[in-house]
């Protein structure tokens, strides 16, 4: 919240200074850069409003809370930024077609304003980056990156102003186009950052790794799979997963372990966790051996394939090897082709084995 307020104040100050300099000199590049700062201030304002609304408590209509409002607010900001960048691009093209030399009478004032702007933006980049690391906020880290890109844009405007003052070369319109492209690029990047979580993006690998570490730190857990992380806004998510447990253990004891893990995940990540127990036969050497061989053989089909929930059901004429196969999204083969390939591989172990495979996809 503090970062947002500071960002709004500084960007409004920079907008006023730059817009004044752009008006006095007639420079479209400086004017474009001023509106870049205004868009940053608007972005911070809408983000603050979105943050406030997203903090509302869950209700009967929205039992998972209102956290995704922050993404919707960010998407609205992104659209405004892209529209503003497009308008400034159009104005800059017009300045190239009908060039007008900027008024050189305000050169010193313009340089002072632009240098001041660069210093402020470098400070904001450092401040937002430090805060982002402190509270582990991707929004703050993105704001820091945006401030650095603004610094580059302002530096381009400064160079064009110096060149125009000391030479007869008027590149004001071209500098305006560069700034406009920076603005459009920032808007598109911000849109991707807000659309992806709304569509359902892959969760943070560090969070996934941390969850696995907590679950597997309990000796009663033999493995885990089918993890799904549901994102309901920054800092709000739910986790579901399957934990493999020894099938010969007391179910009440194992259930207590599962409850303990769910509580640990809540304490560490403030998330609701639901864990399904998958009992496996850990003391059958034949099952363990065939499982290991199968896991190695399927990798010859695709290196990214993994298996879980492996069990064997023997019969008078054949033995069913039943398991799930997790297929990477990059794999181009159809599900039926993969099943046929796996079945052929299983028969390399024993001709009487038949693979009963359920094709699965990973969500993390």
């Amino acid at each position: 919240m503090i970062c947002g307020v500071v960002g709004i104040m500084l960007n409004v100050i920079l907008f006023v200074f730059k817009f004044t300099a752009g008006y006095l000199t007639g420079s479209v590049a400086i004017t474009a850069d001023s509106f870049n700062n205004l868009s940053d201030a608007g972005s911070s304002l809408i983000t603050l409003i979105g943050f406030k609304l997203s903090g509302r408590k869950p209700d009967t209509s929205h039992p998972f809370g209102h956290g995704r409002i922050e993404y919707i607010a960010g998407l609205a900001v992104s659209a405004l930024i892209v529209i503003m960048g497009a308008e400034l691009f159009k104005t800059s093209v017009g300045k190239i077609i009908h060039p007008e030399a900027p008024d050189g009478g305000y050169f010193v004032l313009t340089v002072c304003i632009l240098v001041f702007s660069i210093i402020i933006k470098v400070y904001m980049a450092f401040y937002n980056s430090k805060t982002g690391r402190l509270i582990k906020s991707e929004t703050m880290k993105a704001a820091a990156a945006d401030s650095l890109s603004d610094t580059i844009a302002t530096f381009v405007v400064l160079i064009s102003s110096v060149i125009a003052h000391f030479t007869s070369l008027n590149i004001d319109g071209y500098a305006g186009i560069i700034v406009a492209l920076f603005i459009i690029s920032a808007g598109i990047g911000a849109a991707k950052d807000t659309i992806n979580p709304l569509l359902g993006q892959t969760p943070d690998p560090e969070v996934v790794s941390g969850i696995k570490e907590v679950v597997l730190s309990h000796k009663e857990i033999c493995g885990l799979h089918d993890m799904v992380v549901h994102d309901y806004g920054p800092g709000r998510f739910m986790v579901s997963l399957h934990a493999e447990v020894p099938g010969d253990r007391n179910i009440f004891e194992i259930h207590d372990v599962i409850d303990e893990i769910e509580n640990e995940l809540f304490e560490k990540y403030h998330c609701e966790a639901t864990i399904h127990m998958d009992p496996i036969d850990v003391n059958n050497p034949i099952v363990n051996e065939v499982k290991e061989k199968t896991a190695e053989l399927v990798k010859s089909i695709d290196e990214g394939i993994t298996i879980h929930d492996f069990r064997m059901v023997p019969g008078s004429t054949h033995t069913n090897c039943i398991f799930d196969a997790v297929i990477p999204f990059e794999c181009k083969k159809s599900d039926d082709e993969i099943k046929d390939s796996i079945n052929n591989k299983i028969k390399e172990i024993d001709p009487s084995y038949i693979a009963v495979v359920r094709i699965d996809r990973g969500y993390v």
Side-chain angles (χ1 to χ4, degrees), residues 81-301:
I81 291 173
V82 172
I83 291 171
M84 185 177 296
E87 286 298 317
L88 291 172
F89 184 88
K90 180 180 176 181
T91 302
S92 299
V93 171
K95 195 67 179 284
I96 293 173
I97 298 173
H98 305 288
E100 295 178 13
D103 188 343
Y106 301 94
F107 174 71
V108 175
L109 174 64
T110 299
V111 169
C112 289
I113 289 174
L114 294 177
V115 171
F116 172 73
S117 174
I118 291 173
I119 294 172
I120 292 296
K121 280 295 180 179
V122 169
Y123 163 75
M124 290 176 66
F126 174 78
Y127 179 48
N128 288 330
S129 178
K130 182 179 179 180
T131 305
R133 291 194 303 271
L134 182 67
I135 65 175
K136 297 180 180 179
S137 168
E138 293 301 321
T139 302
M140 289 292 95
K141 293 177 184 178
D146 184 50
S147 294
L148 284 178
S149 69
D150 290 344
T151 301
I152 297 172
T154 303
F155 184 74
V156 169
V157 175
L158 176 61
I159 294 299
S160 72
S161 299
V162 172
I163 291 175
H165 182 74
F166 290 104
T167 70
S168 58
L169 187 61
N170 182 8
I171 60 171
D172 184 52
Y174 296 99
I177 286 179
I178 293 175
V179 174
L181 291 175
F182 265 106
I183 296 173
I184 294 172
S185 176
I188 294 174
K192 289 174 64 178
D193 290 340
T194 55
I195 290 174
N196 285 338
L198 287 173
L199 291 176
Q201 66 182 359
T202 305
D204 183 353
E206 288 188 13
V207 173
V208 173
S209 178
I211 292 172
K212 289 181 178 179
E213 185 177 340
V214 170
V215 176
L216 296 176
S217 66
H218 294 259
K219 64 180 184 300
E220 296 84 358
I221 306 301
C222 305
L224 64 88
H225 54 267
D226 286 347
M227 184 193 301
V228 181
V229 179
H230 305 271
D231 184 353
Y232 291 101
R236 303 168 179 86
F237 65 94
M238 299 179 69
V239 178
S240 63
L241 60 90
H242 289 208
E244 297 177 351
V245 298
D248 57 357
R249 291 289 299 273
N250 184 291
I251 190 171
F252 294 102
E253 293 178 359
I254 293 295
H255 189 268
D256 284 341
V257 173
I258 295 297
D259 282 345
E260 183 180 342
I261 295 172
E262 290 175 345
N263 290 331
E264 284 184 29
L265 290 174
F266 181 81
E267 291 294 327
K268 185 173 182 178
Y269 294 104
H270 306 287
C271 67
E272 296 290 339
T274 302
I275 300 178
H276 171 77
M277 295 187 296
D278 272 344
I280 61 173
D281 189 355
V282 295
N283 297 316
N284 190 321
I286 296 177
V287 172
N288 292 336
E289 181 183 0
V290 175
K291 178 183 177 181
E292 289 180 9
K293 288 182 178 179
T294 302
E296 288 299 320
L297 286 171
V298 297
K299 289 187 178 298
S300 64
I301 301 171

Side-chain angles (χ1 to χ4, degrees), residues 305-324:
I305 297 179
T306 59
I307 65 171
H308 57 79
D309 282 347
F310 189 93
R311 60 190 187 277
M312 298 177 68
V313 181
S316 58
T317 60
H318 65 275
T319 297
N320 285 335
C321 298
I322 307 170
F323 57 91
D324 292 0

Side-chain angles (χ1 to χ4, degrees), residues 319-337:
T319 297
N320 285 335
C321 298
I322 307 170
F323 57 91
D324 292 0
V326 183
I327 312 301
F329 289 101
E330 296 79 13
C331 184
K332 303 300 181 183
K333 295 182 179 180
S334 68
D335 290 358
D336 288 338
E337 287 176 326

Side-chain angles (χ1 to χ4, degrees), residues 345-359:
K345 293 294 181 183
I346 284 287
K347 291 185 180 300
E348 292 180 14
I349 303 174
D350 191 307
S352 67
Y353 289 170
I354 295 178
V356 181
V357 186
R358 178 181 176 271
I359 300 299

